[in-house]
Amino acid sequence: MGKRVGVEVSIALADAVKLADADVIAAYPITPQTHIVEHLAELVAEGELDAEYIPVESEHSALSACLGSAAAGARTFTATAGQGLELMHEVLYVASGMRLPIIMAVANRALSSPLSVWGDHSDAMAVRDTGWIQIFTENGQEVVDQIICAFRIAEDPNVLLPVMVHLDGFNLSHVIEPIEMPTEEEVCDFLPVRRNPLTLHPSKPVAMGDFAPPVVYTEAKWAQEQAMMAVKPTILDIWDDFAKKFGREYKPVECYKCDGAKNLLFTMGSFSETAMTAVDKLRDAGVDIGLIRLRLWRPFPFEEFRAAVKNAETLLVLDRCISSGGPGGPVASELKAALYNEEKKPKVVSFVGGLGGRDITVAGFEKIILDGLELAAKGQEREYEIVGVRE
Amino acid sequence: MAKSEFELTWQDIEIGAAVTEPGSAAAYKTGDWKSQRPTYDFSRCLKCGICYVFCPEGCVRQNQKGHFEANPYYCKGCGICAYECPTRVIVMREEEEK
């Protein structure tokens, strides 16, 4: 049995990387991710983790170094946030295209300008099409568990794709929470030694990330997409096995008081805990409302999502990102797309809020729910509503 | 190579589109995008080999009669051979011309 400790989530995350026995860590510190890689640098310097820590001069180099180390067969970890993730952008495609199982923690942060270091999902949404598996976490325990699961998912022979584990900057990365840390033996048992189907080796030459003319690029991308679409059953199996070994269950879509609810609030990330309290309060006051939260963002769990909302009449979606000049938040428009061909589909009301670290309190969520239900009833005038803006 | 790149299906693609078999330019026909090709009037040919020496693609070979000729699968149609030929054996023509 693991030990229950009170610890900052970033530190717990770094300890989880240590438990997973990472071989190489290449990262550039950036707020609010800094504590994660600082602690990892300490663990390596003090000899607690036998790994190579590569200090680099930018995030572009951090992920490039990770490419090399993962291609050589090393268990590789990096972490970033906001602008750093954007600086990695082109290398993200290289990592997924080369099918390298790199694990990255992203302490979600807003994008400049204006400069903001606070929590926001703009960075994650900007890289949603890069071919990485993306998991959004809600609390410290989930961060630790999903980091451990991420290594097993990424390295599974049926997957071999890089994984991002998202945790909200500050709201989650910098809070101190009670977390049950698994033991080294438990993680060892859960996470097998990495086996590499294809690695760089002097006696068996291989060229990775090679040039593909128009005649084969489509086939190469389709092969990658087939792998991505086949990932979900493997993830479900791994989460099931995790539940058996550690007693904590994870599902792609999490429903809270959804049974029989005609109206559902949809969130991602750490806001869900606040939203739960608001749902509790409104339920007590007789309002028909439930909460669904998406844990697995890429690949998108279409079946689970459709099943979760099939009896709903209204879906209120909160995005922590603006799709500028677009139809609302990027998540809301994706959900609309997922529902478009369904015969019975809920009305979708898109909200954008919590940008750049703006807090949404329990009262704030109550207002979103009540406003959303009113908008759904009387019809929306705008594509989306912005939450809490001073007018 | 087992299959040419024109025949590969997505299932044939190595994981991560990696190339595991050492290749060579000989396996790829690289002259299919030229717009002009060299044509020859060997009656004036001195068999001097200047076109062979100057060809930047290394695609000129001596045939059995001793004349020098470019392999159209690798010739890029640059026209250097035609320019250098002292007796004007080589004339560049548009690809679609006979």
Side-chain angles (χ1 to χ4, degrees):
Chain A
M1 260 310 267
K3 206 168 136 193
R4 206 167 149 85
V5 289
V7 63
E8 186 188 311
V9 172
S10 291
I11 306 299
L13 194 163
D15 284 333
V17 174
K18 182 192 131 187
L19 288 172
D21 196 22
D23 300 311
V24 175
I25 297 139
Y28 188 89
I30 179 170
T31 303
Q33 161 265 62
T34 311
H35 291 185
I36 300 169
V37 294
E38 261 179 8
H39 189 59
L40 277 166
E42 270 170 27
L43 291 172
V44 173
E46 287 163 8
E48 285 189 48
L49 171 61
D50 181 18
E52 192 71 34
Y53 187 93
I54 312 176
V56 284
E57 93 296 352
S58 80
E59 284 83 357
H60 191 279
S61 307
L63 193 55
S64 301
C66 287
L67 289 185
S69 97
R75 188 169 275 173
T76 305
F77 177 83
T78 186
T80 192
Q83 308 297 127
L85 186 58
E86 300 316 303
L87 191 52
M88 285 179 177
H89 197 111
E90 63 152 323
V91 196
L92 295 173
Y93 285 93
V94 183
S96 59
M98 282 165 65
R99 308 280 303 277
L100 298 174
I102 298 165
I103 304 304
M104 169 149 68
V106 182
N108 296 118
R109 155 183 165 176
L111 297 175
S112 277
S113 80
L115 179 64
S116 166
V117 296
W118 290 275
D120 190 304
H121 289 168
S122 302
D123 54 356
M125 292 305 146
V127 300
R128 65 174 187 182
D129 299 331
T130 55
W132 284 57
I133 293 166
Q134 290 182 283
I135 297 168
F136 275 81
T137 58
E138 182 183 59
N139 54 42
Q141 186 67 59
E142 192 176 337
V143 170
V144 168
D145 294 351
Q146 288 306 326
I147 284 286
I148 292 164
C149 287
F151 280 102
R152 176 140 159 211
I153 293 168
E155 294 170 10
D156 192 289
N158 296 322
V159 178
L160 291 168
L161 284 165
V163 179
M164 277 181 213
V165 177
H166 294 280
L167 64 155
D168 285 342
F170 294 112
N171 299 45
L172 194 46
S173 64
H174 283 57
V175 296
I176 294 172
E177 286 195 10
I179 295 171
E180 193 179 303
M181 289 303 289
T183 63
E184 222 172 297
E185 292 73 40
E186 285 172 327
V187 177
C188 245
D189 181 40
F190 177 74
L191 196 57
V193 176
R194 185 178 162 188
R195 284 190 217 296
N196 313 292
L198 199 62
T199 52
L200 297 175
H201 195 281
S203 62
K204 201 168 174 261
V206 52
M208 295 185 180
D210 225 328
F211 173 74
V215 68
V216 289
Y217 187 82
T218 309
E219 281 70 22
K221 278 291 135 180
W222 189 241
Q224 185 188 335
E225 186 60 5
Q226 287 291 324
M228 187 59 146
M229 290 193 291
V231 160
K232 206 182 68 190
T234 311
I235 296 181
L236 298 183
D237 284 349
I238 290 171
W239 281 347
D240 275 352
D241 191 39
F242 188 88
K244 278 194 206 105
K245 293 203 164 83
F246 296 89
R248 289 183 289 276
E249 267 185 55
Y250 292 104
K251 297 257 179 309
V253 176
E254 204 168 87
C255 297
Y256 180 71
K257 298 196 173 175
C258 289
D259 287 342
K262 292 268 172 271
N263 309 306
L264 295 174
L265 175 65
F266 184 100
T267 57
M268 272 161 75
S270 64
F271 264 161
S272 312
E273 298 214 325
T274 320
M276 271 183 206
T277 315
V279 166
D280 285 344
K281 286 181 82 174
L282 287 179
R283 276 250 161 163
D284 289 346
V287 179
D288 176 11
I289 186 81
L291 175 75
I292 64 171
R293 172 169 80 92
L294 204 63
R295 178 175 286 120
L296 186 62
W297 171 237
R298 280 293 181 274
F300 189 86
F302 287 100
E303 292 152 40
E304 286 85 349
F305 168 71
R306 286 179 188 137
V309 300
K310 71 174 189 296
N311 293 321
E313 284 167 11
T314 314
L315 185 60
L316 315 173
V317 186
L318 177 72
D319 262 280
R320 294 191 78 180
C321 173
I322 292 182
S323 167
S324 190
V331 177
S333 52
E334 181 127 337
L335 301 186
K336 284 181 200 168
L339 294 168
Y340 186 79
N341 285 331
E342 298 297 290
E343 280 194 7
K344 193 168 159 283
K345 49 186 168 249
K347 262 188 194 171
V348 176
V349 184
S350 169
F351 285 96
V352 169
L355 299 178
R358 176 73 66 91
D359 199 16
I360 300 184
T361 58
V362 173
F365 271 107
E366 287 179 62
K367 188 169 178 332
I368 288 172
I369 294 166
L370 296 174
D371 287 355
L373 295 179
E374 200 184 315
L375 282 166
K378 76 170 191 318
Q380 297 149 254
E381 286 169 16
R382 303 198 280 198
E383 292 294 338
Y384 69 95
E385 294 300 316
I386 185 142
V387 177
V389 73
R390 290 182 293 274
E391 294 197 58
Chain B
M1 274 186 77
K3 279 186 181 179
S4 90
E5 69 269 33
F6 291 91
E7 296 164 323
L8 286 175
T9 68
W10 69 265
Q11 291 97 334
D12 297 326
I13 303 277
E14 191 74 51
I15 189 157
V19 177
T20 51
E21 200 177 320
S24 129
Y28 299 97
K29 309 281 182 271
T30 51
D32 57 352
W33 42 265
K34 66 180 173 294
S35 56
Q36 290 191 323
R37 71 196 147 90
T39 57
Y40 302 87
D41 175 7
F42 289 126
S43 64
R44 289 202 297 273
C45 182
L46 304 174
K47 303 179 181 174
C48 66
I50 285 179
C51 56
Y52 168 81
V53 171
F54 275 88
C55 176
E57 289 296 305
C59 69
V60 175
R61 290 285 180 273
Q62 204 168 14
N63 63 24
Q64 281 180 340
K65 287 181 180 168
H67 300 127
F68 288 88
E69 211 174 342
N71 183 336
Y73 284 122
Y74 305 107
C75 168
K76 309 293 189 294
C78 69
I80 290 175
C81 54
Y83 182 83
E84 296 293 342
C85 180
T87 53
R88 299 281 175 266
V89 167
I90 307 169
V91 176
M92 300 302 290
R93 290 197 202 285
E94 294 295 322
E95 270 288 63
E96 61 265 29
E97 283 178 35
K98 289 280 176 217

